[in-house]
Amino acid sequence: MNNPPDISQDPAEHEEYAHNVQKHVRGYLTVGALLLAFTGITVALSYVDFGTRKANIGVAMLVATLKAGLVAAIFMHLAAEKRLIYRVLIFTGLFVLALFWLTFLAWYNPVVR
Amino acid sequence: MEIPYTISTRPDTGLWNAKIGIWLFLASEVMLFGGLFSAYIFLRLDAQPGEWPHGLLNVPVGTMNTAILIMSSVTVVLAWAALKMRRYNAYWWYMLATIMCGVIFLFVKLYYEWPQKFEHYGVFLKPSALEKYEQYLGNNRRTEKGMEPRIEISGHLHNPEAIKDPSIKEYEIGLDPVFVDPNNPTNDRPHFLYVPPTDHIAKIEKEDVERIDSFGPWHSAYFASYFTITGLHGAHVLAGVLVFIYMWLPVSKKLYQRNPEHLANRVEVCGLFWHFVDLVWIFVFPLFYLL
Amino acid sequence: MDASTSLPAAAGHHHPHTHAGEHEHHELGWWRKYIFSTDHKVIGIQYGLCGLVFLFFGFSLMMIMRWQLAYPGQALPVIGKWLPYFFGPNTMPDGKMTPEFYNSLGAMHGTIMIFLGVVPVAFAAFGNFVVPLQIGAPDMTFPKVNAASFWAFGVGGVIMLTSFFVPGGAAKGGWTSYVPLSDIADKGPGFHPFLNGQTLWLVGFIFLITSSLLGAVNFITTIIQLRAKGLTWMRLPFFVWAQFVTAFLLLLAFPPLEAAIVMQLMDRTAATSFFLPAGMIVNGAPLHISGGGSPILWQHLFWFLGHPEVYVLILPAFGIVAEILANNSRKPLWGYKSLVFSVLVIGFLSFIVWAHHMWLTGMGSTVSAFFQTTTLLISIPSVIILSAFFISLWGGSIRFTVPMLWATAFLPMFGIGGLTGIPLAFNSADLYLHDTYYIIAHFHYIVAPGTIFGLFAGIYYWFPKATGRTMNEFWGKVHFWPSLICMNVIFLPMFLQGMLGMHRRWYDGGQGWTLSGEHIWGLTGFQWNTPISWAAWIMGLAQIPFIINFFWSIKHGKKVNDNPWEATTLEWTAPSPPPHGNFVITPVAYRGPYEYSLPGREKDFTMQNEPVEPAERSRRAAEPALAH
Ligand code: HEM
Ligand SMILES: [Cu+2]
C-alpha cells in the first residue's frame, strides 16, 4: 500500500487528488477493523489451552506481532518508506534483539544456579 | 541562511527534517521499552514456581482500553488524511475524537483500574504453613496435575488495622472466588469477567504469614513491572494528548491558513508517535492482562 | 568565546558584501541572544563553559579524595577546616574525612566527570559548535530542541549538585550505582524520603539522559539533512563521522539505562523489588519487600549503556585529533576510508560487548565465550584507527603548535589505555584484576590523558573560530608539559597497585592490605599513593595557566584571520566568529576534507570549497592515487 501522493498545487487536479486520498482512507478503516478483530482473537486464544503456558505466550506474541506489523506498515507508512528510515530501524531492531537475547542467554547459562 | 528542508524534502534522502527526527526519537523509544520488556522477561524467567500471578487484572476493561487506543490510531490517521485533502473541519473532528479516546484511556487507568488494585490484598504464606491452608489453596490436586503451587491467598481485607496492630493475631480475608473453591477445574485458568471477592471469610494467623501486601507495585515483580510499564506508557499517552490538544486549538487554524502542508507534516509526526504508543500497548495488553 | 564582544564586530568587518543570513535576522535581546539562545554556536559555547566548570569541579572532588588516600585518617590542612562549612558538618569533622563522604566524593567524581563534563564538552559542545560549520549548515535542524537539550542538561546538573547539600550527602554507590546497595542506601532515619543523595542522582540522571537524547536526534538529523551541496558522505571530515556514530550510541544505548533508572527509582520510592532478591537483611533486620528482583538485571541494563558510553567518551576525541593531525602534518589523513569503516564497526560492536564488565557475575562459558570474542573483535578497529593516526604523521612536515602537542600526546596515551584493556577482555585474567586500581588506570589512560587531552587540543584549535583570536602559545605549552608528566605519574603506578590486588574503592588507600606492603620500584604499593596524590595536586595547579589564558585571550589574544591554521574544512571558510546563520556565501564542497600539499599548487592546503580546476582534473585522472 503506497502513501498518498503530495497534494498538487493545481486546483484542477485537486479533485482527483482528494479522490486518491479517499482510497487510502478506506484502507485505514479496514486496518482498524482488522486490529479490533485481532484484539478479540487474542483474548479468545488466551482462554484456549495450547498445552503449556509457553505455547500460549508464543501464540499471543505471534498475534501481537501481526497487529504491530499492521500498525507499523499501514498507519506508520512503513510499507513504503524511504531507505534511510529502514536502515535506522533495522539497526534499532538488531540492538533490541541483542538486548533481549543476550540477557536471556546470560540468565540461561550461569556457572551455578 | 535559513534552515532548509523543514517542509520540502531533501532530494537525496527524500525526507523532510522532522520526519527523520521523529523516527530517530521512536528508535530510542523502542530501546526504552525494549529495556523494560527485557526486564520483564528476565524477572519472569527468574520467578520461582507460583510467584508470577495470573488473572489478576480486569480483562474486559483492558480489552476495551485496547480497542479505544486502536480507534484513536485510526482517527489520527484520518485526521492527517483530511488535512491532505484540505478539509480542515473534518480534521478538527477527527482530532477531537483522538483526544477523547486518549482521555478515556487515561481515565479508565487512573480512576478505575489502578485504585481497585490498592484495595485488594494478598497474603503470602510461609512455606511451612501451606499445608495448613490446603482447603483454600488446593495444592494437592495442582501438584498432581503438574501445575504451579499457590502460595498466596488474596481477597478483601476486612480488618486492615491488623497490619499495624500487633495485638490482633489474625487477618480476616474476604476470599476471592478461586480460594473458595480451589479444586474446581474452572478456577485453573483466569476468568474472563471480573469476579469480586466473596463474603466467605478466611482467618489467617499472622504467624503463618510471610508477608501481606495490597496489589500495588510492592506486591510482586509482576505488579512492579505492571505499574512501571503501564505508568510509563500512560505518561506517553498523556504527552500525546497534550500535543494533540495544542494542534487542535485555534492556533492550528492559523498555521493551516498560512501553510496547510506544514500542519499536515506536524500531524504526521505526532501521529507517528501516537501509533507507536498504540503499538507498545499491543504488547503490554496480552503480557500483563492475559498471560 | 565571550560572544558579546566579538560577534557583532566580526559580522561586519570580514565580508561587508552579501549577507545571506541577515535578511530575517532581526535583533534579539541580550537574554535571547546569549542565555536562551537557539543558535548552535551559542549553545555549543554554553555547553562548553558549563562542561569545563563541571570538569574542574569533578577534578577538585578527586583532589580531596587523594588526600585521604595518601594520608588516611589525617586532618586535611587548611581547606579541611573550611570544607565542612560547604559540604556539611558530617563530611569532614576536624578536617578528617568520613567514609560516607569518601564514597560520595568517589561516586560524584565519576558521575560528574563522565556525564556532566566529558559528554557535554566532547559531544555537545564540540558537536554543536563545529559540526554545522564543518558541514556548511546554517544551524542545527531543530534549534529549539537544541536549546531544550541544553536546559535539560542544566537542570540535571543543578539536581546533581544539590544532592551534596541534602541530609546525608550525595550518592555513594559509585558512578555505576550498583544494586542492591544503591536501592537501600540513603534511606531510613536521617534521610529525606525523596530529597536524598541516591534518589536525586536518579532524578538528575533522567534529565541528563533526556538532554543527550534530544541532542543525538538533532545531530543525526543535521548531519543527514543539512550537508552542503557537494559534501557527500565520503567527503565529510572525520570529526563529523565520529560525532555521527557517537550520536547513535547515545540515542540507542541510553534508553535501556533510562528504563533501569526508572526501575531503581520505583524501588526506592514505590517499594518495588526490581533489583532486590527476597530475603535481604539490612542492619540485622529483614527488609519488608516482595523480592523476586535481580541485581544482575541492573548490571545488564547499566552496562548496555556503560560500554557504548566509553566510546561516547573517546570517539569525539578521535575526531578532534584526526582534524588536528592532518592539519599540522600538512598531509591527508592516512586511510580515510578505513577510519570511517572502523568507527562504524566500533559503533556497531560496542552494543554487544557489555557483559565484559560482568565477568564476576557467574556467567557460564557460552555467554562468556561470546562476550570475550566480541570484546577482542572491537579492539581491532581501535587499533586500526590508532595505527592510521600514527602513519598519518609519517613523512609529514609537522608543526608542533599547541593543539598538535595535545593531539600527538593523545596517541601514546590512548595506546596505553587500549592495550591494557586487552588482558581484561579475557575473563581468566580479569577475575584477578577486576575492581582493582588496574581498572582505574586502564580507563583513565583512555579518558584522562586520552579524551581530556583531545578536548584541550580541540579548544586550542577551534578557539580562533569562536573568538577571532588565538590563545597564547607560550602559556599553552606551560599548560601542556606539566599536565602530560603529571598524568603519567598519576596513572602509571596505579597499574602496579592494581596488580598487587589493591581494591579501587578502599577508603584507607590500601593501608590494611598485606600485599600493599610489597615493594615495587622502591616504594610499597601503599606508599605509591603519596607521589600519585602530589602529582594530582600539581596537575590541578597546571590548569591555572589554561584558565587564565582562556579568558584573557577572548579579549586580548592575537587577532587572526578566518583560517589561521591554514586548514581545509568548511568551518574555516566562515567568518570568525561566524554570524547568525554562519556563512556569508552558501558553501559548496568540491573535494575531500584533507587535501593538504596537493602537487602543483602554490598553497599547501586546498579548501573543500575550491573548485577542481581542469588541469587538476587531468592530473587526477593520471594519478589514481589522488582521486579519492
Ligand atoms: C581497546 C580495547 C578495550 C578493551 C579490550 C577493554 C576492556 C575492558 C574490560 C574487559 C573492562 C572491565 C574490567 C573490569 O571491570 O574488571 C574495562 C573497563 C573499562 N573500560 Fe575498557 N576496554 C577497551 C577500551 C576502552 C575504551 C576505548 C574506553 C573508554 C573511552 C574504556 C573505558 C573503560 C571504563 C570506563 C572501564 C571501567 C568501568 C568501571 O568498572 O567503572 N575501555 N575495559
Ligand atoms: Cu566495556
Side-chain angles (χ1 to χ4, degrees), chain B residues 89-224:
Chain B
N89 273 346
Y91 161 76
W92 193 89
W93 282 109
Y94 283 132
M95 217 50 180
L96 182 61
T98 314
I99 294 167
M100 291 318 294
C101 284
V103 170
I104 295 174
F105 179 92
L106 285 177
F107 195 82
V108 171
K109 239 279 78 82
L110 288 177
Y111 288 91
Y112 183 74
E113 286 195 86
W114 280 14
Q116 215 179 41
K117 291 285 156 289
F118 294 109
E119 287 158 14
H120 218 100
Y121 276 83
V123 177
F124 289 88
L125 297 168
K126 288 184 179 152
S128 53
L130 288 175
E131 199 53 45
K132 186 166 162 193
Y133 297 94
E134 169 64 15
Q135 66 174 116
Y136 303 125
L137 297 170
N139 276 338
N140 290 345
R141 174 177 159 278
R142 288 178 75 81
T143 323
E144 219 169 85
K145 302 199 102 190
M147 290 187 284
E148 290 185 359
R150 295 191 176 114
I151 56 174
E152 174 194 15
I153 295 175
S154 67
H156 179 73
L157 181 62
H158 281 272
N159 58 345
E161 62 281 4
I163 295 179
K164 289 264 156 63
D165 186 347
S167 67
I168 304 176
K169 294 288 177 234
E170 50 192 20
Y171 297 114
E172 292 167 15
I173 303 275
L175 289 177
D176 278 334
V178 192
F179 302 101
V180 179
D181 190 8
N183 288 323
N184 187 336
T186 59
N187 281 333
D188 286 351
R189 325 206 96 243
H191 294 274
F192 177 66
L193 288 176
Y194 173 71
V195 257
T198 59
D199 293 336
H200 189 116
I201 291 188
K203 299 202 167 168
I204 301 172
E205 283 180 55
K206 274 189 177 173
E207 58 178 24
D208 298 332
V209 173
E210 190 151 290
R211 180 164 70 81
I212 176 165
D213 269 320
S214 62
F215 282 10
W218 39 80
H219 171 269
S220 53
Y222 167 79
F223 271 119

Side-chain angles (χ1 to χ4, degrees), chain A residues 84 88 91-92 94-95 98-99 102-103 105-107 109-112, chain C residues 224 252 256 300 304 348 351-352 354 362-367 370-371:
Chain A
L84 177 79
V88 171
F91 279 106
T92 312
L94 281 179
F95 294 143
L99 178 60
L102 291 172
T103 42
L105 202 67
W107 172 86
N109 175 238
V111 174
V112 282
Chain C
I224 292 174
L252 299 180
H300 278 301
F304 188 84
F348 183 84
F351 281 97
I352 48 173
W354 79 83
M363 62 181 79
S365 51
T366 318
V367 193
F370 177 90
F371 282 108

Side-chain angles (χ1 to χ4, degrees), chain C residues 167-187:
Chain C
K172 299 163 192 66
W175 79 284
T176 53
S177 267
Y178 268 15
V179 285
L181 181 63
S182 299
D183 257 7
I184 56 180
D186 292 359
K187 273 199 202 167

Side-chain angles (χ1 to χ4, degrees), chain A:
Chain A
M1 189 163 171
N2 280 317
N3 304 326
D6 275 344
I7 196 159
S8 160
Q9 302 301 324
D10 178 4
E13 288 176 22
H14 189 240
E15 198 55 27
E16 195 198 321
Y17 173 81
H19 184 72
N20 218 330
V21 176
Q22 200 66 49
K23 265 197 286 188
H24 285 276
V25 166
R26 243 165 280 146
Y28 298 143
L29 289 172
T30 320
V31 171
L34 270 176
L35 287 173
L36 290 178
F38 276 127
T39 306
I41 291 174
T42 315
V43 176
L45 284 181
S46 77
Y47 292 92
V48 178
D49 196 345
F50 285 99
T52 60
R53 179 158 265 128
K54 277 206 190 92
N56 271 49
I57 295 178
V59 170
M61 285 300 100
L62 216 66
V63 182
T65 311
L66 207 81
K67 285 169 72 182
L70 276 177
V71 172
I74 310 300
F75 288 167
M76 301 173 90
H77 310 309
L78 277 187
E81 217 8 300
K82 297 292 178 296
R83 231 193 18 229
L84 177 79
I85 287 174
Y86 289 141
R87 279 197 195 156
V88 171
L89 291 181
I90 284 172
F91 279 106
T92 312
L94 281 179
F95 294 143
V96 176
L97 288 183
L99 178 60
F100 285 175
W101 170 243
L102 291 172
T103 42
F104 166 76
L105 202 67
W107 172 86
Y108 181 76
N109 175 238
V111 174
V112 282
R113 175 161 334 265

